[in-house]
Amino acid sequence: MYPEYLEGDTVIIRKQNYCECGQDCAVYVNGYEATLKTVKLHEDGSLTLKPINTQYAPRTYTPKEVAELPVAVFGIVMEIRRKKYQG
């Protein structure tokens, strides 16, 4: 799957509070827990956060949960930087 995120990568985020469906984003859940997810937007105002780590299941938030927790986009992934040699 592209893009591939590896341990030790540096992810460059452009700060903005919106995204398009399918973009990888830094997202706040509960107002302070930042996480990197692929965001899927739904017509009813709900959204699904798909973890980059495939060992975890996607989570869908209702419009009420989005507003009350809150769930908010912090920014979108613009670039991944990887050192040629990790060590």
Side-chain angles (χ1 to χ4, degrees):
M1 177 188 281
Y2 181 83
E4 180 181 26
Y5 299 90
L6 301 177
E7 187 172 335
D9 286 352
T10 300
V11 179
I12 308 301
I13 304 288
R14 179 174 64 206
K15 186 177 177 183
Q16 61 184 57
N17 61 0
Y18 61 92
C19 68
E20 294 181 19
C21 190
Q23 286 186 305
D24 291 349
C25 301
V27 180
Y28 284 125
V29 178
N30 294 327
Y32 60 90
E33 298 174 19
T35 184
L36 189 62
K37 306 282 190 208
T38 301
V39 178
K40 182 174 181 183
L41 306 169
H42 303 282
E43 289 184 20
D44 66 355
S46 64
L47 59 86
T48 300
L49 299 180
K50 181 180 173 194
I52 302 302
N53 183 340
T54 57
Q55 294 180 352
Y56 295 95
R59 168 88 195 271
T60 299
Y61 295 89
T62 65
K64 182 178 179 183
E65 290 173 316
V66 170
E68 290 179 358
L69 286 176
V71 179
V73 173
F74 172 77
I76 62 171
V77 173
M78 297 302 296
E79 185 177 333
I80 302 169
R81 294 186 183 176
R82 181 171 299 144
K83 292 181 180 178
K84 190 169 186 175
Y85 299 102
Q86 302 284 337

